[in-house]
Amino acid sequence: MSDSAKRITKATFFVIVATILSKLFGFLREVVLGAFYGTSYKLDSLIAAQLLPGVFFASILASFSTTFIPIYNEILVKESKEKASKFASKSLFLIVIAALIVAVVGSFLSPFIVKTIFKGFDESAKNLTWQLMRITFFYIIFLGANYILQGFLQSNENFVVPVLVGLPFNVIIIFSAFLKKEFDIYGVAVAFVLGYFSMVLFQMPFAIKKGFKFKLDINLRDPYIIKLFKLVLPVFIGSSVMSLNSFVDRYLASFLPEGSISALNFADKLNGVVYGIFSSSISAVIYPYLSRFFSSEKKDEFKKYLVLSINSLILIMVPITAAVLVLSREIVQFVYERGAFDSRSTYLTSGALMFFSLGYLGYAVREILSRTFYSIQDTITPMKNGILAVAINIVLNIVLVKYLKHKGLALGTSIVAYVSVFLLMRSLFKKIGKIELKSSMIVFVKALFASFVMVVSIVLAKNLIQIKTPVTFITKVTNLLIWGFVGVISYSTVIYLLKIKEAQWILENSVKVLKKLKGLAVK
């Protein structure tokens, strides 16, 4: 295995471990919010209040981070680390100032925004939503700084810290939920702002250690800053139109029975944990390396690691989709069903989760392919494909919501993920030449067969194994763990017998990283 492969492998598995830890706290946050607020109009209002800053303005801030990484790596390869650090400092300053202006204007216009967009809400829900939006708009200031620091750390091969920022963020929000009597849902809105601020504080010492030096510089004539702004607009448009899926879902859901928006949100959060642990980890690590391979003109290495990433995602995402399809109700019960989150909430959320899960592989591969284009500093192609995909998604949403209600919205999102993959892959072939995907098709067929065996095993286990204890929660946990274990063993056994080299690669390096973690724990 080459040095690059070893570094990528080591970083990926450490990021996966860190992501699992961070996602667990995110899970706990959603469980606590669900227990205190259920699928109520108050939580609907908080979610709606975050949609505009979260979907639109957070998208443009994330776009700066996305374009920052390839440009930073270009400066690093072609010039010097000192110049790259100056570029990072200038980018951070400019984004914070821009976000501050937007936050002030957005907060002032919140009543108008809510009345214009969320027409399906009654008056009390509208009033609560704009009051909360006036607070939540200000988190984009810290979110912008957070994205630049994440890009800086990832480019300097520190992939774990940007993932762990979720820990202080979630702790603050969880704490705010317990202050419901004192501050109600307003306290949670303030906690979101403080949570994003904690992300910046958490990362800053590590960034400084890697050479980040904050210097006040507003020279907009810097050629790299000009390049950053040129590349960022297509990325923003592309990511915004993809995020528009979420906005359209919530808008249409506002006309459905109470709790539909919350159910979609809870299911979407589960998606983030289920598929995000692996897809986000792999894409976060591979992206800076792809950028560096491109800047160094290592075309074969570039293609090799792209295919390896896709094959790894196939092996992971296909069985996860199958498992969620047969265990969606049990998963939602285990995670959320307590307090105000009742059986009706479970029914609504598990239905959305099932249809969201159909798109797991599509979401994951789409993210890798988008990052591939950004790594070669082509931001136009993903934007064009994204616009076409979202147009298809809007049509699907309008049609499917009539027949499947909120579940139709989830299904539309899943379908459009695969449409996006097809469009991006077709464009990538034209851009960098043919990529050998025969191995990916073979891996997919084998993973599909192994997943079928896994589903049969889980269904049999559910019918044959029913552990009962005096405590309902322990009963749920025990049975879910047993059924899940049966599924993992059956899938792993079939994959091993089919001799898939990517599976062997994952297993071997998982063992290495676990040994490394054990050694660190002992120390």
Side-chain angles (χ1 to χ4, degrees), residues 27-44:
F27 250 153
L28 183 59
R29 179 194 73 206
E30 294 303 314
V31 169
V32 171
L33 289 177
F36 278 98
Y37 295 99
T39 48
S40 65
Y41 85 94
K42 288 185 178 180
L43 197 55
D44 279 355

Side-chain angles (χ1 to χ4, degrees), residues 354-428:
M354 285 181 64
F355 286 98
F356 271 135
S357 71
L358 295 173
Y360 284 169
L361 181 58
Y363 309 147
V365 176
R366 180 181 65 191
E367 183 173 357
I368 287 289
L369 293 177
S370 295
R371 296 262 179 160
T372 301
F373 278 101
Y374 299 148
S375 70
I376 62 176
Q377 299 185 22
D378 176 2
T379 58
I380 298 292
T381 301
M383 178 194 73
K384 290 179 178 178
N385 291 335
I387 291 172
L388 178 58
V390 168
I392 296 170
N393 186 73
I394 292 173
V395 174
L396 285 173
N397 279 345
I398 294 172
V399 173
L400 294 173
V401 73
K402 294 180 180 179
Y403 302 99
L404 296 171
K405 304 299 182 185
H406 70 295
K407 291 181 287 188
L409 301 175
L411 178 59
T413 300
S414 294
I415 292 172
V416 83
Y418 293 102
V419 172
S420 299
V421 169
F422 171 77
L423 294 173
L424 287 169
M425 190 64 75
R426 185 184 62 177
S427 299
L428 189 60

Side-chain angles (χ1 to χ4, degrees), residues 77-206:
V77 170
K78 296 181 178 179
E79 298 199 38
S80 67
K81 188 170 184 178
E82 184 180 353
K83 285 190 175 182
S85 181
K86 286 181 180 179
F87 169 72
S89 175
K90 189 180 295 185
S91 300
L92 177 65
F93 178 75
L94 291 172
I95 285 174
V96 167
I97 293 299
L100 175 61
I101 294 170
V102 170
V104 171
V105 174
S107 180
F108 178 76
L109 295 176
S110 291
F112 172 76
I113 293 169
V114 171
K115 290 178 182 178
T116 302
I117 296 176
F118 297 101
K119 295 180 179 179
F121 281 0
D122 59 30
E123 283 304 310
S124 60
K126 285 180 182 177
N127 289 335
L128 178 59
T129 301
W130 70 255
Q131 290 171 27
L132 294 175
M133 187 178 285
R134 279 192 163 172
I135 299 170
T136 58
F137 243 111
F138 285 92
Y139 78 63
I140 67 174
I141 301 168
F142 307 114
L143 186 60
N146 171 65
Y147 280 135
I148 293 299
L149 290 174
Q150 281 184 343
F152 177 83
L153 288 171
Q154 289 171 351
S155 295
N156 284 279
E157 300 189 11
N158 184 333
F159 300 98
V160 176
V161 170
V163 176
L164 292 178
V165 294
L167 299 183
F169 173 81
N170 288 313
V171 167
I172 290 171
I173 295 172
I174 290 168
F175 179 74
S176 72
F178 286 93
L179 299 177
K180 181 180 179 182
K181 289 184 179 179
E182 289 78 9
F183 303 106
D184 201 12
I185 199 71
Y186 298 98
V188 182
V190 172
F192 270 94
V193 179
L194 295 177
Y196 283 109
F197 178 56
S198 74
M199 289 182 169
V200 177
L201 294 180
F202 186 81
Q203 291 183 101
M204 189 58 75
F206 297 96

Side-chain angles (χ1 to χ4, degrees), residues 1 6 9-10 13-14 505-519:
M1 183 182 289
K6 288 179 181 178
T9 301
K10 180 180 176 182
F13 283 98
F14 272 113
W505 174 78
I506 291 173
L507 177 61
E508 289 172 3
N509 289 285
S510 295
V511 172
K512 289 179 182 178
V513 173
L514 288 173
K515 286 181 179 178
K516 181 75 173 179
L517 289 172
K518 183 179 179 181

